[in-house]
Amino acid sequence: MIDLNHELLGDVLLAAPGCPDMTAEKAIARAARQFCTDTHAWRVTTESQPVIKGLREVELSVPAECGVVRPYWVKLGDKQLLGISPTKATVEDGEPSGYYITPAGVLELDCVPKESVVQDALVAHMAVAPKRGEAVLADELEPFLETIQSLAEGYLLMMPSAEWSNRRAASDMFSMYQNGVTAGRRFGQQRNQAINRKVAYGGI
């Protein structure tokens, strides 16, 4: 896992002379979250998670610093589950065929499982993003550090009444960011494959 404050803070502060460290750190965390939301470049394929009889919720093994942006596919054994609206869920026991993600990032099945599945159970492939205030990034996204830096600098340079504000320079930073977003989306699309990867909390 990349510590973005360690990697970017010094350069961001150079672009916004007089900016307090804490303000710059918030801008970096916000930029990282926005980049991952815009591009879906940070992908996680979970380890197999057990489905327990009588329990609708399934824990997702995503890094603690992240939240789910969008699920791309979810499988239970060899069966692909369909994304549904929570209103379509039932309280009846049955064999799950669908799922939804709660606002808290918990995966819930469309019915109460009538049997437990432990081996080769539920696997999900998702786009994730850092939670608010978390200035972290997956190691494989290192090529996009400059893109995130550009957005963080754009945020700071656009701040009204700040001694370091510079709207023209901010516009340039936002344009550079948009160029990087296209590459980030392409990177994420290339990772949207139905293969199993393990998640390690110290990196992916």
Side-chain angles (χ1 to χ4, degrees), residues 21-201:
D21 287 13
M22 184 176 296
T23 301
E25 288 171 355
K26 288 181 179 179
I28 291 170
R30 179 185 173 193
R33 180 179 173 84
Q34 189 63 51
F35 171 78
C36 292
T37 301
D38 287 343
T39 65
H40 296 181
W42 190 347
R43 301 292 184 93
V44 167
T45 303
T46 67
E47 297 177 344
S48 175
Q49 302 297 308
V51 170
I52 307 301
K53 178 181 178 181
L55 185 62
R56 184 192 300 274
E57 295 184 357
V58 179
E59 292 292 333
L60 296 173
S61 55
V62 301
E65 301 90 345
C66 294
V68 177
V69 175
R70 175 186 167 181
Y72 275 86
W73 52 260
V74 177
K75 288 186 174 182
L76 180 54
D78 294 330
K79 180 180 180 180
Q80 184 150 343
L81 302 184
L82 301 177
I84 65 166
S85 165
T87 60
K88 300 293 185 182
T90 175
V91 296
E92 302 295 328
D93 292 353
E95 184 178 339
S97 61
Y99 73 94
Y100 59 92
I101 305 291
T102 70
V106 177
L107 186 145
E108 296 200 0
L109 301 168
D110 63 342
C111 64
V112 179
K114 64 181 180 181
E115 296 180 356
S116 294
V117 182
V118 178
Q119 298 295 327
D120 298 323
L122 188 140
V123 178
H125 179 76
M126 301 165 292
V128 301
K131 294 177 180 176
R132 295 187 187 279
E134 295 284 357
V136 296
L137 201 67
D139 292 334
E140 66 265 27
L141 296 180
E142 184 177 4
F144 300 102
L145 289 181
E146 290 186 5
T147 300
I148 293 170
Q149 179 183 330
S150 296
L151 184 57
E153 292 176 3
Y155 286 152
L156 293 175
L157 295 169
M158 279 293 290
M159 290 182 67
S161 304
E163 61 182 278
W164 57 83
S165 63
N166 184 328
R167 289 184 175 271
R168 179 172 296 179
S171 179
D172 291 340
M173 293 300 102
F174 290 140
S175 293
M176 292 176 63
Y177 170 71
Q178 288 301 325
N179 291 336
V181 164
T182 301
R185 286 175 178 159
R186 190 181 308 116
F187 181 87
Q189 290 166 358
Q190 291 171 348
R191 289 170 55 79
N192 188 22
Q193 301 175 11
I195 57 177
N196 296 347
R197 293 190 183 91
K198 292 187 176 181
V199 175
Y201 284 85

